[in-house]
Every structure is written in structure tokens, then in C-alpha cells.
Amino acid sequence: MAIPDTLAMRIMNVVCDNDLGGDFLMLGRQRWMGSRRKRSAAMFAATLEERFPNLSEDDLANPNDEYSETFFHKIGFENVDSMDVSDFENATIVQDLADWVPKKLHKKFDVIYDGGTCEHVFDLPTAYRNIDRMLKPGGVMIGHSPCNGWINHGFYQITPEMVYGFWEKTLGYEVLECVLQPILPVYANRAVTTTNPNETGSRPRLKGKLPDGPIILSYAVRKPMKSVRGGSRKVYQSDYQNRWSESADPDVAAQ
């Protein structure tokens, strides 16, 4: 798990566009990678200059190891914690996301960053609901998850349907960003968005052509100030829900 230039650029933009700060948790202790080469390095440098003109890339690296706490402190977070199932990388919180997190961690964090952890947790729904529990009302989850071209990387590849079907529709989160980001430096500027199935009634459609190579789903969602009540906590894909509704209503089905 590491933060290269393209993903660092997306994190900085989300943080600045939504005025994020406070208590921060990264899932897994993320390594800092920073600039790679050519197009992605140039985009990262331009973003850093625009968003944090008083910082250089050298300011963002941990002075004594390969991890990324300094990066998150420098872009505005007061407290930076890391969580892992093991202490092998000296995470500040040792916790299995496949088990329910204790109450002392409920509503504790302003921002949680999944930089490539949850796809390795077999009990993925439990992991996501734990994130929901740990976020403060109004808190933001930033996710960078493998979406395409990551065969055998983990148990899962995550799709935009998860963002819109689970975080937005079921839990009532606000979608701040949902972008398919190519990870290869040469394609750094070829990110593609999708349609929102909660608005269209059909599965997310690409609003552009993705290049070759592995794709990261880059998304950010904000927890509502009050929990969504009265609705089902079960999660279904939006297009199937629409088909079920239409089949149950002959007048709709006939149109």
C-alpha cells in the first residue's frame, strides 16, 4: 500500500475542495511514494504548487522512514493514526476490520483513508460498516481501491456501483468524488467519471474511454449529520431495484 503522485494529487484536491482536517485515520500504514515520472510527476507538481505553494515535495516525506504520516500532517490533519490487523508496520491502532470495532473507536475520526486495504478483507461489508461507525457525523471517507486490471491483488475489485449503491443509497452519504483513475504515469490525465445509477436508474456508464493498464477507483463520500432512518440497511444494485419495481407495477412495465 503506497501513495504515488496521482493518488496524492487526488487526496490534496479532495482535502482542499472540502476543507478537511482534524482527526485522520489511514487503514494500513501507507507508504509514501510521491513523484514517479513524466506526466504524473508534472501533474503532481502542479497540484502541489496550486494547493500548497509553501511546501516542496521534500517536505512531505517522513524524515526517518518510508511512511506517509508527514504528508497527511502537512496537508492539514492535526492527528494522524494508522490501523492494521497486525503491528508488523507499527500501526498506532491494531484492529481487525473483519471484527466489529470497539465503542471507543466509534465517531472518532473526521477523515478515514482506505488506500488499498479493504479489498484484502474478506468480510468486506463488515469493514465498510466499521468505517461508517468510526466516522464522526459529517466525516469523510476517501477511498483508493483497485477497480480494473488487478487480478489476484486481493479478494475484490471495487466498482462505482459500490459508491452509489452502498455509500450513497443505503447509508445516505454524499458523493464528493467518484473517478476512475489510471495508475500508469503515462495515462495520469485520462481519468474517467461515470453516471450515477441513483439518478439514471441503470448501471453506471463510463463518460469516456479508459486507457489500458490498471485502474484505481478514487472516491470520497461524506457521512450525513444524522443517520438515515426508516430505510432498509440491505444493499441492492439500483438497476435491479428498478426492474423489480416495474415488474410489480403493470402500468410502469407497459410504458
Side-chain angles (χ1 to χ4, degrees):
M1 297 173 289
I3 303 174
D5 41 23
T6 42
L7 302 187
M9 173 187 68
R10 293 216 161 269
I11 291 169
M12 289 189 289
N13 283 335
V14 167
V15 167
C16 292
D17 287 343
N18 297 282
D19 194 26
L20 303 182
D23 298 318
F24 180 91
L25 174 68
M26 60 177 121
L27 305 181
R29 197 174 177 205
Q30 301 288 328
R31 291 181 290 112
W32 172 250
M33 184 181 296
S35 289
R36 291 177 292 171
R37 58 187 181 275
K38 295 184 177 179
R39 187 165 292 158
S40 63
M43 291 176 65
F44 170 72
T47 302
L48 184 62
E49 173 64 26
E50 176 188 358
R51 298 299 199 175
F52 299 96
N54 296 323
L55 294 177
S56 70
E57 184 172 351
D58 289 341
D59 295 327
L60 303 179
N62 277 14
N64 299 315
D65 58 43
E66 62 182 343
Y67 299 103
S68 59
E69 287 83 2
T70 297
F71 168 68
F72 291 112
H73 278 302
K74 291 290 187 180
I75 65 173
F77 293 100
E78 183 177 354
N79 302 306
V80 177
D81 279 297
S82 54
M83 175 180 288
D84 211 329
V85 69
S86 165
D87 63 359
F88 81 115
E89 288 186 305
N90 298 314
T92 59
I93 302 171
V94 176
Q95 170 67 41
D96 188 351
L97 282 170
D99 292 329
W100 296 120
V101 297
K103 278 196 171 183
K104 66 181 181 180
L105 295 176
H106 290 195
K107 299 180 181 179
K108 181 176 177 61
F109 301 103
D110 295 287
V111 175
I112 295 177
Y113 176 56
D114 174 18
T117 292
C118 284
E119 74 269 15
H120 301 287
V121 181
F122 183 73
D123 293 306
L124 183 64
T126 302
Y128 281 165
R129 297 219 186 256
N130 274 327
I131 291 171
D132 176 50
R133 285 177 168 86
M134 292 190 290
L135 277 173
K136 298 176 184 178
V140 170
M141 187 253 196
I142 300 173
H144 287 153
S145 302
C147 185
N148 194 45
W150 297 84
I151 298 299
N152 292 329
H153 172 77
F155 289 113
Y156 307 99
Q157 296 186 83
I158 312 301
T159 70
E161 184 72 55
M162 184 71 79
V163 178
Y164 293 112
F166 175 68
W167 294 105
E168 183 179 61
K169 189 176 184 72
T170 301
L171 297 188
Y173 278 53
E174 175 191 2
V175 178
L176 305 176
E177 174 179 276
C178 185
V179 177
L180 298 171
Q181 174 64 58
I183 201 66
L184 296 178
V186 68
Y187 298 133
N189 64 340
R190 297 274 299 277
V192 173
T193 58
T194 74
T195 58
N196 182 340
N198 296 324
E199 297 174 354
T200 65
S202 59
R203 296 177 184 179
R205 307 299 184 196
L206 297 179
K207 293 183 176 181
K209 184 178 180 180
L210 286 171
D212 295 332
I215 305 296
I216 288 287
L217 178 65
S218 175
Y219 65 100
V221 289
R222 187 188 298 277
K223 184 176 182 175
M225 294 303 296
K226 293 184 178 181
S227 298
V228 175
R229 298 187 182 277
S232 172
R233 299 280 286 184
K234 294 181 179 180
V235 186
Y236 304 101
Q237 281 190 244
S238 54
D239 60 325
Y240 283 116
Q241 286 184 300
N242 287 331
R243 292 183 197 179
W244 300 332
S245 297
E246 289 172 1
S247 66
D249 187 340
D251 292 334
V252 174
Q255 292 178 3

